[in-house]
Amino acid sequence: MVPFPEEPAAARGTSEAQPPGPAPTVGAAPLPGPGLSDGPEASVEKVEVELAGPASAEPPQPPEGGWGWLVMLAAMWCNGSVFGIQNACGVLFVAMLKTFGSKDDDKMVFKTAWVSSLSMGMIFFCCPIASVFTDMFGCRKTAVVGAAVGFIGLMSSSFVSSIEPLYLTYGVLFACGCSFAYQPSLVILGHYFKKRLGLVNGIVTAGSSIFTVLLPFLLRVLTDSVGLFYTLRVLCAFMFVLFLASFTYRPLVSNAKDKESGTKGGNRFSLFSRRKFSPPTKIFNFAIFRVTAYAVWAVGIPLALFGYFVPYVHLMKHVNERFQDGKNKEVVLMCIGITSGVGRLLFGRIADYVPGVKKVYLQVLSFLFIGLMSMMIPLCRVFGALIAVCLIMGLFDGCFISIMAPIAFELVGAQDVSQAIGFLLGFMSIPMTVGPPIAGLLRDKLGSYDVAFYLAGIPPLIGGAVLCFIPWIHSKKQREIDKTTGGEKMEKMLDNQNSLLSSSPGIFKKESDSVI
């Protein structure tokens, strides 16, 4: 379950960029696009594009390859290492129970569930903040510092003596570092690719599926052989590689002069290179919530996610309790990872043929199946049936993830899509943090996960029902805008004709005389 890479406004289409040319004369209509005249509502441009030079400088064109392929691999490693570890948290959850568990503590499952859920929630909660730092300091600096913080958090987690310090080291410090490393990987892809951006996004998001398939087996072997603490130290190697990979997020230069000066200065690969950039006019753009369809979407998605992360945290524990004699129980997480990757490619392609905001219906379909599959988990008395349920759940998990960015683009437009996604990820952190501990508390009180999984299937169904209203709300608002715009265009055309007649009466009189 990996949030999608969002498409930066700078990467979408040449129609949004203004061609170079002479400055407009006094009285001429202002050029569209963000600028000083746009006021605080203007979108914040990414720092890598807004390099030293005049404000009217032509933005750099995506190279469509070259160094960008290395950037793609680095972003793929980021996606895989961050969310591969998070999606395999069920194995670490069992290891934490064995390490810190006590027969006298009847709330140990509840306490341990907070570690993984807090970690996943903090990754999303910090995304809006990380996007601001990316705007201010650039992709490379933000990602490098984030990977370093994540490494420190994971390493410090391997030296604790009880479960409570893990709330800080693993749940907060490690997760915040992952968030600051992950957010720039979403932005940098749009700087290097435009025509191949869909392909590149598919490859990058596939990284999480690959890691989700492989990491459960690796973590199971490590926890059984060397224990929890040494397993966390091995995972630090993933964060160290991510630290090195983040240096590949090289900012593009806007013209040959900047390129030459950057090369002569020897700071082409320098982390703390000297670049002039304009401070953002507005950090948080709350005006997007005036779009009613987006506001409903921002409520419906978090509402559906209260039970979404419960299987990822508690499924392994449930399998150990239900199928005690089974082997290779990690295959349930592997099945989710495999079909999630397939679902992203399949439904991402299907979404290209679904017009406009009607793509929301695909998310409704995905939440319907995710909710039903969550309810069917406790009904599976045979391990093969549970495998089938996990395969279907993973498929529609990929559907939900892959079409988030296209829906956000349809609702708010290209200029505001970055912050729209950032706000949504922040809202998603609340239910994803609260859901798993509640399921753990129910397990401690009732002695099984049956009720927890039944209840976890209800929020996706409710959230999907809320999302059904979005296409109707959006189409209604669009008709109002088209009606208003049509009236304004007609009035403007009449004004232009009247001004033309009043300014050149002699011409029309001469033409009428010649006709007579």
Side-chain angles (χ1 to χ4, degrees), residues 149-169:
V149 173
F151 177 89
I152 295 172
L154 202 56
M155 180 62 72
S156 59
S157 299
S158 65
F159 292 99
V160 301
S161 57
S162 62
I163 196 69
E164 285 78 10
L166 286 176
Y167 298 154
L168 175 63
T169 58

Side-chain angles (χ1 to χ4, degrees), residues 92-109 111-113 115 156-167 169-170 227-229 232:
L92 295 177
F93 177 76
V94 175
M96 290 176 189
L97 285 176
K98 291 180 180 179
T99 304
F100 304 110
S102 174
K103 295 181 180 180
D104 299 330
D105 193 348
D106 58 348
K107 295 184 179 180
M108 195 61 202
V109 175
K111 292 180 180 179
T112 307
V115 177
S156 59
S157 299
S158 65
F159 292 99
V160 301
S161 57
S162 62
I163 196 69
E164 285 78 10
L166 286 176
Y167 298 154
T169 58
Y170 190 92
L228 173 66
F229 297 136
L232 294 176

Side-chain angles (χ1 to χ4, degrees), residues 289-341:
F289 291 100
R290 298 176 184 173
V291 181
T292 308
Y294 172 77
V296 175
W297 193 54
V299 171
I301 294 293
L303 183 62
L305 296 182
F306 271 98
Y308 174 77
F309 197 47
V310 170
Y312 285 93
V313 176
H314 295 286
L315 186 58
M316 283 302 301
K317 177 68 174 174
H318 170 73
V319 171
N320 289 336
E321 293 177 351
R322 178 67 59 87
F323 307 99
Q324 297 179 0
D325 299 331
K327 295 182 179 180
N328 297 328
K329 300 171 185 176
E330 301 80 11
V331 72
V332 294
L333 295 179
M334 181 189 73
C335 292
I336 295 177
I338 291 176
T339 53
S340 179

Side-chain angles (χ1 to χ4, degrees), residues 15 22 31 72 108 117 120 134 140 237 370 405 480 503:
S15 61
L31 291 175
M72 180 200 71
M108 195 61 202
S117 61
M120 179 61 81
T134 302
R140 181 161 53 183
I370 289 174
E480 294 177 358
S503 61

